Protein backbone atom coordinates (compact mmCIF):
# COMPACT_ATOMS: atom_id res chain seq x y z
CA UNK A 1 0.00 0.00 0.00
CA UNK A 2 1.14 3.49 -0.76
CA UNK A 3 -0.70 6.47 0.67
CA UNK A 4 0.02 10.12 -0.04
CA UNK A 5 -1.57 12.80 2.16
CA UNK A 6 -1.74 16.45 1.08
CA UNK A 7 -2.89 18.96 3.71
CA UNK A 8 -4.21 22.44 3.00
CA UNK A 9 -5.48 24.23 6.14
CA UNK A 10 -8.45 22.14 7.33
CA UNK A 11 -8.68 19.98 4.19
CA UNK A 12 -6.89 16.65 3.95
CA UNK A 13 -6.55 14.99 0.53
CA UNK A 14 -5.77 11.28 0.61
CA UNK A 15 -4.61 9.62 -2.59
CA UNK A 16 -4.61 5.84 -2.38
CA UNK A 17 -2.84 3.99 -5.12
CA UNK A 18 -4.61 1.14 -6.90
CA UNK A 19 -4.68 -2.26 -5.15
CA UNK A 20 -3.89 -0.74 -1.72
CA UNK A 21 -7.04 -2.12 -0.10
CA UNK A 22 -6.42 -5.59 -1.47
CA UNK A 23 -2.84 -5.42 -0.26
CA UNK A 24 -3.99 -4.71 3.30
CA UNK A 25 -6.84 -7.23 3.42
CA UNK A 26 -4.50 -9.98 2.26
CA UNK A 27 -2.56 -9.75 5.51
CA UNK A 28 -3.30 -12.12 8.38
CA UNK A 29 -5.15 -10.86 11.48
CA UNK A 30 -3.01 -10.87 14.61
CA UNK A 31 -3.68 -9.96 18.22
CA UNK A 32 -1.44 -9.77 21.29
CA UNK A 33 -2.01 -10.28 25.00
CA UNK A 34 -2.73 -6.83 26.41
CA UNK A 35 -4.71 -5.58 23.43
CA UNK A 36 -7.41 -3.27 24.78
CA UNK A 37 -10.76 -2.18 23.39
CA UNK A 38 -12.32 0.88 25.04
CA UNK A 39 -16.06 1.26 24.55
CA UNK A 40 -18.32 4.17 25.35
CA UNK A 41 -21.42 3.34 27.37
CA UNK A 42 -24.39 5.53 28.18
CA UNK A 43 -26.64 4.98 31.17
CA UNK A 44 -29.88 6.60 30.03
CA UNK A 45 -31.50 6.66 33.47
CA UNK A 46 -28.52 8.29 35.20
CA UNK A 47 -27.76 10.43 32.14
CA UNK A 48 -24.14 9.37 32.43
CA UNK A 49 -21.63 8.60 29.70
CA UNK A 50 -18.68 6.55 30.85
CA UNK A 51 -16.21 4.03 29.41
CA UNK A 52 -15.32 0.40 29.81
CA UNK A 53 -12.21 -1.47 28.78
CA UNK A 54 -12.12 -5.04 27.44
CA UNK A 55 -8.69 -6.63 27.39
CA UNK A 56 -7.17 -9.64 25.75
CA UNK A 57 -5.77 -11.43 28.80
CA UNK A 58 -4.55 -14.88 27.70
CA UNK A 59 -4.21 -17.48 24.96
CA UNK A 60 -5.43 -21.06 24.83
CA UNK A 61 -5.98 -23.96 22.43
CA UNK A 62 -9.48 -25.30 21.89
CA UNK A 63 -10.81 -27.78 19.33
CA UNK A 64 -7.60 -27.59 17.38
CA UNK A 65 -7.45 -23.83 17.13
CA UNK A 66 -5.15 -21.33 18.84
CA UNK A 67 -7.37 -18.75 20.51
CA UNK A 68 -7.39 -15.62 22.65
CA UNK A 69 -9.28 -14.98 25.88
CA UNK A 70 -11.20 -11.72 26.31
CA UNK A 71 -11.82 -10.80 29.94
CA UNK A 72 -15.51 -10.04 29.46
CA UNK A 73 -18.20 -11.59 27.32
CA UNK A 74 -20.80 -9.85 25.23
CA UNK A 75 -23.48 -9.27 27.89
CA UNK A 76 -21.25 -8.96 30.95
CA UNK A 77 -21.04 -12.74 30.93
CA UNK A 78 -17.92 -14.88 31.41
CA UNK A 79 -14.84 -14.43 29.29
CA UNK A 80 -15.18 -14.79 25.53
CA UNK A 81 -12.85 -16.95 23.46
CA UNK A 82 -11.81 -15.49 20.11
CA UNK A 83 -9.97 -17.53 17.51
CA UNK A 84 -8.26 -16.27 14.36
CA UNK A 85 -7.29 -18.14 11.20
CA UNK A 86 -5.65 -15.93 8.62
CA UNK A 87 -8.41 -13.37 7.92
CA UNK A 88 -11.33 -15.10 9.62
CA UNK A 89 -12.39 -14.44 13.20
CA UNK A 90 -14.37 -17.05 15.17
CA UNK A 91 -15.91 -16.93 18.63
CA UNK A 92 -16.39 -20.07 20.70
CA UNK A 93 -19.96 -20.68 21.81
CA UNK A 94 -20.15 -22.39 25.21
CA UNK A 95 -23.70 -23.60 24.70
CA UNK A 96 -23.21 -25.38 21.40
CA UNK A 97 -19.52 -26.23 22.02
CA UNK A 98 -18.48 -25.10 18.57
CA UNK A 99 -17.01 -22.13 16.78
CA UNK A 100 -19.08 -19.41 15.15
CA UNK A 101 -17.68 -17.48 12.23
CA UNK A 102 -18.22 -13.78 12.87
CA UNK A 103 -15.87 -11.85 10.57
CA UNK A 104 -14.27 -12.75 7.27
CA UNK A 105 -12.01 -9.87 6.34
CA UNK A 106 -10.84 -11.72 3.24
CA UNK A 107 -14.32 -11.97 1.69
CA UNK A 108 -14.99 -9.55 -1.14
CA UNK A 109 -18.71 -10.19 -1.75
CA UNK A 110 -20.47 -12.50 0.73
CA UNK A 111 -19.76 -15.00 3.51
CA UNK A 112 -21.88 -17.14 5.79
CA UNK A 113 -21.93 -16.29 9.48
CA UNK A 114 -23.43 -18.22 12.39
CA UNK A 115 -25.21 -17.50 15.65
CA UNK A 116 -27.02 -19.56 18.25
CA UNK A 117 -30.67 -19.27 19.30
CA UNK A 118 -32.17 -21.73 21.76
CA UNK A 119 -29.05 -23.88 21.41
CA UNK A 120 -29.64 -24.16 17.68
CA UNK A 121 -26.94 -22.92 15.33
CA UNK A 122 -28.41 -20.82 12.56
CA UNK A 123 -26.68 -19.28 9.61
CA UNK A 124 -27.18 -16.11 7.64
CA UNK A 125 -25.48 -14.41 4.74
CA UNK A 126 -23.27 -11.41 5.34
CA UNK A 127 -22.77 -9.25 2.28
CA UNK A 128 -19.61 -7.21 1.89
CA UNK A 129 -21.00 -3.96 0.55
CA UNK A 130 -17.65 -2.22 0.40
CA UNK A 131 -14.17 -1.94 1.86
CA UNK A 132 -12.81 1.55 2.32
CA UNK A 133 -9.65 3.09 3.65
CA UNK A 134 -10.63 5.73 6.19
CA UNK A 135 -8.61 8.11 8.33
CA UNK A 136 -9.57 7.99 12.01
CA UNK A 137 -9.25 10.73 14.65
CA UNK A 138 -5.55 10.37 15.38
CA UNK A 139 -4.54 10.33 11.71
CA UNK A 140 -4.17 6.57 11.18
CA UNK A 141 -5.63 5.11 7.99
CA UNK A 142 -7.43 1.81 8.50
CA UNK A 143 -9.56 -0.49 6.30
CA UNK A 144 -13.25 -0.43 7.17
CA UNK A 145 -15.50 -3.30 6.05
CA UNK A 146 -19.19 -2.53 5.56
CA UNK A 147 -21.00 -5.79 6.33
CA UNK A 148 -24.71 -6.01 5.51
CA UNK A 149 -26.95 -8.72 6.92
CA UNK A 150 -30.44 -9.53 8.15
CA UNK A 151 -31.37 -9.41 11.84
CA UNK A 152 -31.21 -12.86 13.31
CA UNK A 153 -34.58 -12.49 15.05
CA UNK A 154 -36.35 -10.96 12.11
CA UNK A 155 -36.48 -7.36 11.08
CA UNK A 156 -34.93 -5.11 8.52
CA UNK A 157 -31.60 -5.42 6.83
CA UNK A 158 -28.82 -3.28 8.23
CA UNK A 159 -25.17 -2.47 7.64
CA UNK A 160 -22.50 -2.53 10.32
CA UNK A 161 -19.04 -1.01 10.13
CA UNK A 162 -16.15 -3.21 11.18
CA UNK A 163 -12.54 -2.18 11.46
CA UNK A 164 -10.22 -4.80 10.10
CA UNK A 165 -8.37 -6.59 12.89
CA UNK A 166 -10.39 -4.79 15.58
CA UNK A 167 -14.06 -5.65 15.16
CA UNK A 168 -17.34 -3.83 14.90
CA UNK A 169 -17.57 -0.18 15.92
CA UNK A 170 -20.16 -0.83 18.65
CA UNK A 171 -20.83 -2.93 21.75
CA UNK A 172 -18.06 -5.55 21.89
CA UNK A 173 -15.37 -7.24 19.75
CA UNK A 174 -17.85 -10.08 19.31
CA UNK A 175 -20.34 -9.36 16.57
CA UNK A 176 -23.88 -8.62 17.85
CA UNK A 177 -25.49 -11.32 15.78
CA UNK A 178 -29.20 -11.64 16.04
CA UNK A 179 -29.75 -7.90 16.27
CA UNK A 180 -29.60 -7.84 20.06
CA UNK A 181 -31.08 -4.75 21.73
CA UNK A 182 -28.95 -4.26 24.82
CA UNK A 183 -31.34 -2.40 27.08
CA UNK A 184 -31.33 -4.47 30.25
CA UNK A 185 -28.56 -2.29 31.68
CA UNK A 186 -30.39 0.95 30.83
CA UNK A 187 -27.66 1.52 28.29
CA UNK A 188 -27.39 2.77 24.74
CA UNK A 189 -24.74 4.26 22.49
CA UNK A 190 -22.11 1.57 23.01
CA UNK A 191 -19.48 3.05 20.73
CA UNK A 192 -15.89 1.96 20.18
CA UNK A 193 -13.65 4.78 21.39
CA UNK A 194 -10.15 3.33 21.17
CA UNK A 195 -8.15 0.20 20.44
CA UNK A 196 -4.58 -0.34 21.58
CA UNK A 197 -2.38 -3.04 20.06
CA UNK A 198 1.32 -3.34 20.90
CA UNK A 199 2.71 0.04 19.86
CA UNK A 200 -0.26 1.03 17.71
CA UNK A 201 -3.02 3.21 19.11
CA UNK A 202 -6.32 3.83 17.31
CA UNK A 203 -8.64 6.60 18.51
CA UNK A 204 -12.12 6.82 16.94
CA UNK A 205 -13.57 9.72 18.95
CA UNK A 206 -12.39 13.30 19.39
CA UNK A 207 -11.96 13.12 23.19
CA UNK A 208 -9.78 10.96 25.47
CA UNK A 209 -10.61 7.26 25.76
CA UNK A 210 -11.16 7.46 29.52
CA UNK A 211 -13.52 10.45 29.54
CA UNK A 212 -16.63 10.31 31.73
CA UNK A 213 -19.33 12.96 31.83
CA UNK A 214 -22.96 13.50 32.71
CA UNK A 215 -25.78 14.96 30.68
CA UNK A 216 -27.02 17.82 32.83
CA UNK A 217 -30.50 18.43 34.09
CA UNK A 218 -31.26 21.73 32.42
CA UNK A 219 -33.03 24.79 33.75
CA UNK A 220 -35.69 26.62 31.79
CA UNK A 221 -33.59 29.78 31.60
CA UNK A 222 -36.37 31.71 29.91
CA UNK A 223 -38.57 31.27 32.99
CA UNK A 224 -36.15 31.22 35.92
CA UNK A 225 -36.30 33.64 38.84
CA UNK A 226 -32.63 34.47 38.53
CA UNK A 227 -30.58 35.25 35.43
CA UNK A 228 -27.02 36.10 34.43
CA UNK A 229 -26.19 39.61 35.61
CA UNK A 230 -28.37 39.61 38.74
CA UNK A 231 -26.53 41.55 41.44
CA UNK A 232 -26.88 41.61 45.23
CA UNK A 233 -25.29 44.62 46.95
CA UNK A 234 -24.59 44.16 50.66
CA UNK A 235 -23.34 46.61 53.26
CA UNK A 236 -20.45 46.17 55.64
CA UNK A 237 -19.47 48.30 58.61
CA UNK A 238 -15.91 48.82 59.77
CA UNK A 239 -15.49 49.52 63.48
CA UNK A 240 -14.89 51.22 65.87
CA UNK A 241 -15.32 55.02 65.70
CA UNK A 242 -16.40 56.54 63.50
CA UNK A 243 -18.24 53.75 61.71
CA UNK A 244 -17.12 53.42 58.10
CA UNK A 245 -19.80 52.06 55.80
CA UNK A 246 -18.84 50.28 52.59
CA UNK A 247 -20.46 47.88 50.16
CA UNK A 248 -19.69 44.74 48.21
CA UNK A 249 -21.40 43.10 45.26
CA UNK A 250 -22.28 39.49 44.59
CA UNK A 251 -23.26 38.64 41.04
CA UNK A 252 -24.46 35.80 38.83
CA UNK A 253 -21.71 35.72 36.22
CA UNK A 254 -22.55 32.67 34.11
CA UNK A 255 -24.15 29.27 33.82
CA UNK A 256 -22.23 26.02 33.83
CA UNK A 257 -22.73 22.29 34.37
CA UNK A 258 -21.91 21.20 37.90
CA UNK A 259 -22.46 17.66 39.17
CA UNK A 260 -24.94 16.78 36.47
CA UNK A 261 -27.01 19.96 36.62
CA UNK A 262 -27.07 23.21 34.75
CA UNK A 263 -26.42 25.85 37.41
CA UNK A 264 -25.88 29.55 37.89
CA UNK A 265 -22.39 30.64 38.97
CA UNK A 266 -22.38 33.21 41.79
CA UNK A 267 -19.19 35.22 42.42
CA UNK A 268 -17.95 35.35 45.08
CA UNK A 269 -19.27 32.40 47.04
CA UNK A 270 -19.97 32.50 50.74
CA UNK A 271 -16.78 30.59 51.56
CA UNK A 272 -15.29 29.87 48.14
CA UNK A 273 -14.57 31.76 44.95
CA UNK A 274 -17.90 30.64 43.49
CA UNK A 275 -21.21 29.24 44.64
CA UNK A 276 -23.35 27.08 42.37
CA UNK A 277 -27.13 27.26 42.49
CA UNK A 278 -30.02 25.95 40.47
CA UNK A 279 -33.74 26.51 40.77
CA UNK A 280 -36.82 24.47 40.05
CA UNK A 281 -40.42 25.51 40.67
CA UNK A 282 -39.39 28.34 43.00
CA UNK A 283 -37.01 26.16 45.03
CA UNK A 284 -33.40 27.34 45.22
CA UNK A 285 -30.61 24.80 45.74
CA UNK A 286 -27.01 25.63 46.69
CA UNK A 287 -24.09 23.24 46.27
CA UNK A 288 -22.53 22.37 49.64
CA UNK A 289 -18.80 21.73 49.22
CA UNK A 290 -18.55 20.10 52.67
CA UNK A 291 -21.13 17.35 52.14
CA UNK A 292 -20.86 17.30 48.33
CA UNK A 293 -24.50 17.64 47.47
CA UNK A 294 -27.11 20.25 46.63
CA UNK A 295 -29.22 21.56 49.52
CA UNK A 296 -32.51 23.41 49.26
CA UNK A 297 -32.06 26.76 50.99
CA UNK A 298 -35.20 28.55 49.83
CA UNK A 299 -38.69 27.64 48.75
CA UNK A 300 -40.15 30.87 47.49
CA UNK A 301 -43.53 29.23 46.87
CA UNK A 302 -43.86 27.80 50.38
CA UNK A 303 -46.98 28.82 52.29
CA UNK A 304 -47.26 29.64 55.98
CA UNK A 305 -46.67 26.53 58.08
CA UNK A 306 -44.72 24.59 55.44
CA UNK A 307 -41.38 23.05 56.42
CA UNK A 308 -38.22 21.77 54.76
CA UNK A 309 -34.78 20.68 55.95
CA UNK A 310 -31.27 21.99 55.28
CA UNK A 311 -28.26 19.80 56.08
CA UNK A 312 -24.75 21.19 56.60
CA UNK A 313 -21.50 20.75 58.52
CA UNK A 314 -21.45 22.80 61.72
CA UNK A 315 -17.92 24.17 61.68
CA UNK A 316 -18.12 25.80 65.09
CA UNK A 317 -16.81 29.21 66.18
CA UNK A 318 -13.29 28.68 64.84
CA UNK A 319 -14.34 27.00 61.62
CA UNK A 320 -12.86 23.55 62.22
CA UNK A 321 -15.90 21.52 63.27
CA UNK A 322 -17.03 18.41 61.40
CA UNK A 323 -20.42 17.75 62.99
CA UNK A 324 -23.19 16.92 60.54
CA UNK A 325 -26.22 19.04 61.37
CA UNK A 326 -29.70 19.47 60.01
CA UNK A 327 -32.10 22.37 60.48
CA UNK A 328 -35.85 22.22 60.08
CA UNK A 329 -37.03 25.43 58.44
CA UNK A 330 -40.59 26.61 59.09
CA UNK A 331 -42.35 29.39 57.21
CA UNK A 332 -43.90 31.27 60.14
CA UNK A 333 -45.58 34.04 58.17
CA UNK A 334 -45.58 36.05 54.95
CA UNK A 335 -45.73 39.82 54.56
CA UNK A 336 -45.53 42.50 51.91
CA UNK A 337 -43.24 45.55 52.22
CA UNK A 338 -42.12 48.57 50.21
CA UNK A 339 -38.52 49.44 49.43
CA UNK A 340 -37.08 52.97 49.29
CA UNK A 341 -38.43 53.38 45.75
CA UNK A 342 -41.93 52.29 46.84
CA UNK A 343 -41.52 48.97 45.01
CA UNK A 344 -43.42 46.15 46.70
CA UNK A 345 -41.59 42.96 47.67
CA UNK A 346 -42.63 39.84 49.54
CA UNK A 347 -41.01 38.54 52.72
CA UNK A 348 -40.90 35.08 54.25
CA UNK A 349 -40.39 35.03 58.01
CA UNK A 350 -38.54 31.81 58.76
CA UNK A 351 -37.61 30.03 61.97
CA UNK A 352 -34.83 27.44 62.23
CA UNK A 353 -34.72 24.51 64.63
CA UNK A 354 -31.38 22.73 64.32
CA UNK A 355 -30.02 19.48 65.74
CA UNK A 356 -27.20 21.35 67.49
CA UNK A 357 -29.83 22.90 69.83
CA UNK A 358 -29.60 26.17 67.96
CA UNK A 359 -32.80 28.04 67.20
CA UNK A 360 -33.17 31.38 65.46
CA UNK A 361 -35.37 33.34 63.08
CA UNK A 362 -34.60 35.35 59.97
CA UNK A 363 -36.20 37.05 57.00
CA UNK A 364 -35.95 36.03 53.36
CA UNK A 365 -36.99 38.30 50.52
CA UNK A 366 -38.85 36.21 47.96
CA UNK A 367 -36.99 36.11 44.65
CA UNK A 368 -33.87 37.52 46.29
CA UNK A 369 -32.82 35.44 49.27
CA UNK A 370 -31.23 36.12 52.62
CA UNK A 371 -30.83 39.76 53.60
CA UNK A 372 -27.75 39.81 55.79
CA UNK A 373 -24.45 39.05 54.08
CA UNK A 374 -24.82 36.69 51.09
CA UNK A 375 -27.55 35.03 49.01
CA UNK A 376 -26.53 31.75 50.63
CA UNK A 377 -27.61 31.65 54.25
CA UNK A 378 -24.78 30.89 56.70
CA UNK A 379 -26.19 28.43 59.19
CA UNK A 380 -23.08 27.90 61.31
CA UNK A 381 -21.70 30.42 63.80
CA UNK A 382 -18.12 31.50 63.29
CA UNK A 383 -15.88 34.04 64.97
CA UNK A 384 -15.79 36.74 62.34
CA UNK A 385 -13.49 39.74 62.24
CA UNK A 386 -14.97 41.94 64.97
CA UNK A 387 -13.82 45.06 63.12
CA UNK A 388 -15.88 44.39 59.97
CA UNK A 389 -19.51 43.39 60.30
CA UNK A 390 -22.12 42.55 57.65
CA UNK A 391 -24.95 45.03 57.84
CA UNK A 392 -27.69 43.75 55.55
CA UNK A 393 -28.65 44.04 51.92
CA UNK A 394 -28.71 47.42 50.20
CA UNK A 395 -29.96 46.55 46.73
CA UNK A 396 -30.89 43.77 44.36
CA UNK A 397 -31.05 44.39 40.65
CA UNK A 398 -31.46 42.65 37.33
CA UNK A 399 -32.20 43.69 33.77
CA UNK A 400 -35.69 44.97 34.51
CA UNK A 401 -35.82 46.12 38.14
CA UNK A 402 -33.87 47.49 41.07
CA UNK A 403 -34.87 47.05 44.70
CA UNK A 404 -33.27 49.51 47.12
CA UNK A 405 -33.50 48.65 50.82
CA UNK A 406 -31.39 51.48 52.31
CA UNK A 407 -32.11 55.23 52.16
CA UNK A 408 -29.01 55.95 50.05
CA UNK A 409 -27.56 54.72 46.72
CA UNK A 410 -26.30 51.15 46.43
CA UNK A 411 -22.68 52.13 45.85
CA UNK A 412 -22.37 54.73 48.63
CA UNK A 413 -19.32 54.71 50.92
CA UNK A 414 -19.34 56.99 53.97
CA UNK A 415 -18.40 57.40 57.60
CA UNK A 416 -21.15 57.92 60.13
CA UNK A 417 -21.06 61.46 61.54
CA UNK A 418 -20.39 61.59 65.28
CA UNK A 419 -21.12 64.29 67.83
CA UNK A 420 -19.07 64.97 70.97
CA UNK A 421 -16.20 62.81 69.77
CA UNK A 422 -13.47 64.42 71.86
CA UNK A 423 -11.26 62.03 73.81
CA UNK A 424 -12.77 58.92 72.21
CA UNK A 425 -9.56 57.06 72.90
CA UNK A 426 -10.18 57.52 76.60
CA UNK A 427 -13.47 55.60 76.48
CA UNK A 428 -12.74 52.08 77.65
CA UNK A 429 -15.32 49.28 77.78
CA UNK A 430 -14.80 45.59 78.40
CA UNK A 431 -16.88 42.40 78.77
CA UNK A 432 -16.25 40.49 82.01
CA UNK A 433 -15.89 37.53 81.69
CA UNK A 434 -15.53 36.79 77.97
CA UNK A 435 -16.04 33.97 77.11
CA UNK A 436 -18.67 33.32 79.76
CA UNK A 437 -21.27 30.72 80.65
CA UNK A 438 -24.05 33.14 79.81
CA UNK A 439 -23.86 35.91 82.43
CA UNK A 440 -21.50 38.89 82.10
CA UNK A 441 -21.12 42.56 82.91
CA UNK A 442 -19.95 45.52 80.82
CA UNK A 443 -17.30 47.53 82.58
CA UNK A 444 -17.34 51.20 81.64
CA UNK A 445 -21.07 51.84 81.19
CA UNK A 446 -23.74 52.81 83.67
CA UNK A 447 -27.16 51.53 84.56
CA UNK A 448 -29.76 52.92 82.20
CA UNK A 449 -27.69 52.68 79.00
CA UNK A 450 -29.42 50.89 76.14
CA UNK A 451 -27.87 47.81 74.53
CA UNK A 452 -28.58 45.45 71.62
CA UNK A 453 -27.21 41.97 71.04
CA UNK A 454 -27.04 40.47 67.53
CA UNK A 455 -26.22 36.97 66.29
CA UNK A 456 -23.54 36.57 63.63
CA UNK A 457 -26.29 36.09 61.06
CA UNK A 458 -27.49 39.61 61.82
CA UNK A 459 -30.60 38.74 63.83
CA UNK A 460 -31.46 40.81 66.89
CA UNK A 461 -31.29 38.35 69.78
CA UNK A 462 -31.85 40.58 72.80
CA UNK A 463 -32.15 44.27 73.68
CA UNK A 464 -32.79 46.24 76.84
CA UNK A 465 -31.52 48.71 79.42
CA UNK A 466 -28.31 47.82 81.18
CA UNK A 467 -28.40 47.32 84.97
CA UNK A 468 -25.85 46.55 87.65
CA UNK A 469 -26.91 42.89 87.58
CA UNK A 470 -25.36 42.59 84.13
CA UNK A 471 -26.73 40.65 81.16
CA UNK A 472 -27.59 36.99 80.71
CA UNK A 473 -27.89 35.05 77.43
CA UNK A 474 -29.58 31.68 77.33
CA UNK A 475 -27.87 30.01 74.36
CA UNK A 476 -24.29 29.22 73.45
CA UNK A 477 -22.92 31.06 70.47
CA UNK A 478 -20.99 34.02 69.16
CA UNK A 479 -22.69 37.43 69.36
CA UNK A 480 -22.09 41.14 68.82
CA UNK A 481 -23.18 43.49 71.59
CA UNK A 482 -23.77 47.16 70.77
CA UNK A 483 -24.07 49.95 73.34
CA UNK A 484 -24.72 53.61 72.59
CA UNK A 485 -23.51 56.10 75.18
CA UNK A 486 -23.32 59.85 74.73
CA UNK A 487 -23.93 59.43 70.99
CA UNK A 488 -20.99 57.08 70.65
CA UNK A 489 -21.85 53.54 69.57
CA UNK A 490 -19.57 50.80 70.80
CA UNK A 491 -19.55 47.15 69.68
CA UNK A 492 -17.73 44.04 70.84
CA UNK A 493 -17.78 40.34 70.17
CA UNK A 494 -18.91 38.03 73.00
CA UNK A 495 -18.70 34.26 73.23
CA UNK A 496 -21.14 32.19 75.30
CA UNK A 497 -20.14 28.64 76.20
CA UNK A 498 -22.78 26.73 78.14
Amino acid sequence: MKVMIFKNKNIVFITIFFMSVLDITAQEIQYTIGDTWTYERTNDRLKEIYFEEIKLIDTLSIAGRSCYVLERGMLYGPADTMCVEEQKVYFWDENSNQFQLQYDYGADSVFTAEYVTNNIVETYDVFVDSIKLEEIRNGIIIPVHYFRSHWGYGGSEYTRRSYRGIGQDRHHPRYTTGGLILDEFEESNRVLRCFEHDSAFYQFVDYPCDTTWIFPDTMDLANTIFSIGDTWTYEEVELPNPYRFGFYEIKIIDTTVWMGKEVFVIEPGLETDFDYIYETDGEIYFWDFDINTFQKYYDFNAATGEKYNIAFIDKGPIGSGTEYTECTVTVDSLSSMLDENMEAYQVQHLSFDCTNNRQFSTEVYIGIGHTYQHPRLQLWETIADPKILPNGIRCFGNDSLLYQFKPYPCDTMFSEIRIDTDNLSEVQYSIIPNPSHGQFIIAGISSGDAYEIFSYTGDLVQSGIYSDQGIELADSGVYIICVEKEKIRWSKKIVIQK
Side-chain angles (χ1 to χ4, degrees), residues 217-219 224-226 232 252 256 258-259 261-266 274-289 291-301 307-311 368-369 374-377:
D217 292 332
T218 58
M219 292 186 293
T224 51
I225 297 170
F226 299 122
W232 293 259
I252 295 180
T256 189
W258 182 260
M259 298 301 170
K261 294 184 181 296
E262 185 178 23
V263 297
F264 290 112
V265 182
I266 293 183
F274 306 103
D275 267 329
Y276 302 109
I277 72 168
Y278 77 92
E279 60 176 272
T280 175
D281 297 328
E283 298 179 348
I284 309 299
Y285 293 79
F286 282 78
W287 177 259
D288 190 306
F289 289 91
I291 58 179
N292 293 320
T293 189
F294 285 101
Q295 289 291 314
K296 181 171 74 173
Y297 271 69
Y298 306 120
D299 184 352
F300 291 141
N301 292 329
K307 301 175 184 289
Y308 58 92
N309 293 329
I310 307 176
I368 298 174
H374 193 276
R376 182 181 174 187
L377 174 63

Side-chain angles (χ1 to χ4, degrees), residues 460-471:
L460 179 64
V461 174
Q462 186 172 312
S463 62
I465 303 299
Y466 186 74
S467 69
D468 293 337
Q469 283 73 35
I471 300 172

Side-chain angles (χ1 to χ4, degrees), residues 26 43 72 76 89 149 174 223 225 233 269 279 301 323 332 363 368 377 393 406 429 492:
N43 188 304
R72 186 181 68 74
Y76 290 91
V89 178
S149 62
R174 185 171 181 172
N223 297 295
I225 297 170
T233 304
E279 60 176 272
N301 292 329
E323 179 184 356
D332 293 327
E363 291 181 348
I368 298 174
L377 174 63
I393 189 169
K406 301 279 188 179
Y429 302 116
K492 190 172 182 64

